[in-house]
Amino acid sequence: MRCSPGGAVAVACGLAGYLVVLRAQVFAGDALSHVAFTGALGAAAFGASIRGGLYATTIAGAVVIGVLGERARADDVAIGTFFAWILGLGVLFLTLFTTRHSAGNGTGGVHVLFGSVLGLSRRDVAVSVALAALASALLLAIARPLLFATIDPDVARARGVPVRALGLGFLALLGLVAAQATQVVGALLLLGLLAAPAGAAQRLTARPYRGLALSALFALGSAWAGLTLAYVFPTLPPSSAIVGVAGALYALALFARAPRRGARSGRRRPQRSR
């Protein structure tokens, strides 16, 4: 029962991650991992609900990133500035956290920051699965207009697609997914589960819906394989195993694509020599 949220969260990460990669917002995903870090530390430092602080700050941070840029796609300078500010705030909360004595919050903070999929309570499992399923359903519901707005935003706007609202809505969902994934792999390894399966899927197909399916499948496989490895090797942290498998899948996708490119370039050479 306690292992069950890993699969549901992984599928949500795969769907959200593919759209993040397609929209060139990987840096925003990286920033959200630090927002999760700061939110968890802030809640722990002030004795509040760590998971409540994690969800609130991550979703709010995602929306702020969208508001900072045009069409809800902030540029690297805006994200970098926000990145630095949120890290500075995290250092402040870390100082407050380490100077206060709260063993319960301390243990919870470590779980949130570094992942503890095997240590979730039954209630936490139920909440995680429900929210991951909701996020996945909403991502699939907005996938078609969001893909249109991503590929050609000007034409999409002319056709009546609410490009900016879609962008903000997607970032809010990304914040929810990031908060969920933080419980599985931790804030420090969050980007690996978001980007690696999606990057592998994008390397293997140019079709968006097939890419979405592959990304979700790769993320799910990474979660299952990682948890299996952590069970076989008890000293291996589940979060490290999950992200390690995801990274290996991306490396395999790179190697799988390389021979095809070489073959195409080899066929073109004789044509140019004529």
Side-chain angles (χ1 to χ4, degrees):
M1 176 68 176
R2 291 187 177 183
C3 295
S4 60
V9 171
V11 170
C13 280
L15 296 174
Y18 182 80
L19 294 169
V20 165
V21 171
L22 192 65
R23 290 170 62 82
Q25 292 182 311
V26 176
F27 191 26
D30 189 23
L32 285 180
S33 67
H34 293 79
V35 172
F37 175 87
T38 300
L41 278 178
F46 292 102
S49 168
I50 293 177
R51 288 191 173 84
L54 173 68
Y55 283 110
T57 55
T58 309
I59 294 173
V63 174
V64 168
I65 289 174
V67 171
L68 288 175
E70 296 180 359
R71 299 172 181 172
R73 298 176 70 171
D75 57 28
D76 288 348
V77 174
I79 296 176
T81 303
F82 179 74
F83 201 139
W85 177 79
I86 204 70
L87 273 180
L89 195 59
V91 171
L92 172 62
F93 289 152
L94 179 61
T95 302
L96 294 175
F97 175 68
T98 54
T99 55
R100 298 191 178 192
H101 50 283
S102 178
N105 271 351
T107 302
V110 170
H111 285 171
V112 173
L113 293 175
F114 301 104
S116 180
V117 64
L118 301 179
L120 298 177
S121 67
R122 290 179 179 271
R123 180 177 178 277
D124 292 332
V125 167
V127 172
S128 293
V129 171
L131 290 178
L134 175 63
S136 298
L138 292 175
L139 286 168
L140 290 174
I142 68 171
R144 184 179 179 87
L146 186 62
L147 287 170
F148 188 14
T150 300
I151 295 170
D152 199 335
D154 293 327
V155 174
R157 184 178 292 101
R159 295 289 297 271
V161 177
V163 174
R164 184 170 181 80
L166 271 176
L168 289 173
F170 169 67
L171 285 172
L173 285 175
L174 177 61
L176 175 60
V177 171
Q180 290 290 313
T182 299
Q183 298 180 87
V184 177
V185 296
L188 301 182
L189 296 177
L190 167 62
L191 185 62
L193 190 57
L194 276 175
Q202 194 176 53
R203 289 281 179 176
L204 296 176
T205 181
R207 298 183 178 182
Y209 291 109
R210 182 177 296 178
L212 276 170
L214 276 178
S215 182
L217 182 62
F218 288 160
L220 179 61
S222 298
W224 284 351
L227 289 172
T228 301
L229 287 172
Y231 176 78
V232 175
F233 303 99
T235 58
L236 181 64
S239 55
S240 299
I242 291 171
V243 175
V245 172
L249 286 175
Y250 179 72
L252 289 174
L254 286 177
F255 285 117
R257 289 290 293 175
R260 298 182 189 178
R261 290 175 180 173
R264 283 199 296 266
S265 62
R267 287 196 298 268
R268 288 172 184 167
R269 288 194 191 99
Q271 294 175 0
R272 287 197 294 266
S273 63
R274 295 173 189 169

